Amino acid sequence: QLQASGGGLVQAGESLRLSCAASGHTFSSYSMAWFRQAPGKEREFVAAIGRSGGSTGYADSVKGRFTISRDGAKNTVYLQMNSLKPEDTAVYFCAAGSSIANYARAYEYWGQGTLVTVSS
């Protein structure tokens, strides 16, 4: 089970940190990722991190502004989002899968999503 949290309403230029707590699985066995879905749009890849945390990947739209990390002791993956833009407004989902990838079907488990709204 994946539980995402940390969403909210912020102004452009501000920061937020999303968290995704994992339970019921061996957290260290899974690569983790964040995806997002804006109203009327398809779900898109945001960032991913490998099982050991040594490998990461980002969508071009967030590279340099977002950072994904994981804490094995807390079974939690984070998404630090800086310099937020109105176009970052979306529901953010965390996901777990057996390999790191930038496409949704690679991930077997999904959290419920947390809403991020960025006002201009």
Side-chain angles (χ1 to χ4, degrees):
Q1 184 176 2
L2 301 175
Q3 182 73 36
S5 62
L9 172 63
V10 296
Q11 293 188 334
E14 294 184 339
S15 299
L16 272 179
R17 189 177 78 158
L18 305 184
S19 300
C20 176
S23 62
H25 301 279
T26 305
F27 180 71
S28 60
S29 298
Y30 292 93
S31 295
M32 304 293 295
W34 288 94
F35 286 77
R36 66 186 182 187
Q37 187 166 17
K41 295 188 176 181
E42 294 187 352
R43 190 170 298 190
E44 65 174 1
F45 170 76
V46 176
I49 188 166
R51 286 173 286 182
S52 67
S55 299
T56 58
Y58 297 91
D60 288 343
S61 59
V62 307
K63 204 171 292 184
R65 299 188 298 123
F66 291 11
T67 302
I68 189 171
S69 62
R70 64 191 298 164
D71 185 335
K74 296 182 178 180
N75 285 358
T76 299
V77 63
Y78 303 99
L79 185 68
Q80 178 66 43
M81 306 186 295
N82 299 329
S83 302
L84 282 161
K85 304 175 181 180
E87 51 263 44
D88 294 318
T89 295
V91 176
Y92 283 71
F93 299 89
C94 59
S98 55
S99 59
I100 187 171
N102 63 358
Y103 51 94
R105 66 178 182 274
Y107 296 90
E108 303 146 60
Y109 304 101
W110 291 81
Q112 86 290 359
T114 185
L115 176 62
V116 173
T117 304
V118 184
S119 64
S120 57

